[in-house]
Amino acid sequence: MISQNEQVTALIEQTANTFDGGIQSTTATDGLSIIDSWIDALDENGDDQMDTIADILEDLKAELKSAGTAETPETPDSDVIQDLLQELISETQSYMQTAEASAQQTELQRLVSTLQNIHQQVGSKPSQRYATEPTNNPTPEPNH
């Protein structure tokens, strides 16, 4: 059986490797699978800070899964996802200050960098929800 630290290190590596190519090259199934793995690992730890991070991941998972259903056919709300990612970044950075995290500073910093990269990509991506709504004021293409 692998230790908690080895499991977390492997998850950090998997997360970084999955999202290194950008969020567009990652399938929803891959993303949800990683979120599930993190939730399982954090639930095993059982401390309050890990529970907080797991709760944020549960919210992120719910937001990602809610889109594309009959009730909400549009894509996930990028503002909500950005807010949840920012919470994850903050909580992870806070965890990095604890004694328990001292042995994994390099790995945790890589995780924070990956989360910041995803956050930035979500922020720079125009909201699909608004792109599908008709515009009242179409701008004509300029003639060149």
Side-chain angles (χ1 to χ4, degrees), residues 54-72:
D55 289 345
I56 297 167
L57 287 169
E58 289 281 3
D59 292 345
L60 179 59
K61 179 180 171 182
E63 177 62 29
L64 292 171
K65 286 181 82 172
S66 71
T69 64
E71 295 82 31
T72 56

Side-chain angles (χ1 to χ4, degrees), residues 83-125:
D83 290 346
L84 291 168
L85 286 169
Q86 188 57 56
E87 285 183 60
L88 278 175
I89 292 165
S90 296
E91 285 295 326
T92 304
Q93 288 173 325
S94 175
Y95 177 72
M96 287 175 67
Q97 307 306 313
T98 67
E100 296 85 10
S102 63
Q104 294 182 300
Q105 289 299 304
T106 302
E107 293 88 355
L108 289 169
Q109 187 53 54
R110 183 170 183 203
L111 179 60
V112 167
S113 294
T114 299
L115 291 171
Q116 289 170 331
N117 182 29
I118 296 167
H119 181 266
Q120 184 177 20
Q121 289 179 57
V122 170
S124 65
K125 184 179 171 188

Side-chain angles (χ1 to χ4, degrees), residues 4-5 7-8 11-12 35 37-58 87-102 104 108 111:
Q4 181 71 17
N5 283 349
Q7 182 183 19
V8 169
L11 272 172
I12 291 170
I35 290 172
S37 296
W38 273 109
I39 291 168
D40 291 344
L42 295 171
D43 284 345
E44 287 175 18
N45 184 305
D47 91 11
D48 288 344
Q49 193 159 22
M50 295 297 103
D51 289 345
T52 300
I53 293 172
D55 289 345
I56 297 167
L57 287 169
E58 289 281 3
E87 285 183 60
L88 278 175
I89 292 165
S90 296
E91 285 295 326
T92 304
Q93 288 173 325
S94 175
Y95 177 72
M96 287 175 67
Q97 307 306 313
T98 67
E100 296 85 10
S102 63
Q104 294 182 300
L108 289 169
L111 179 60

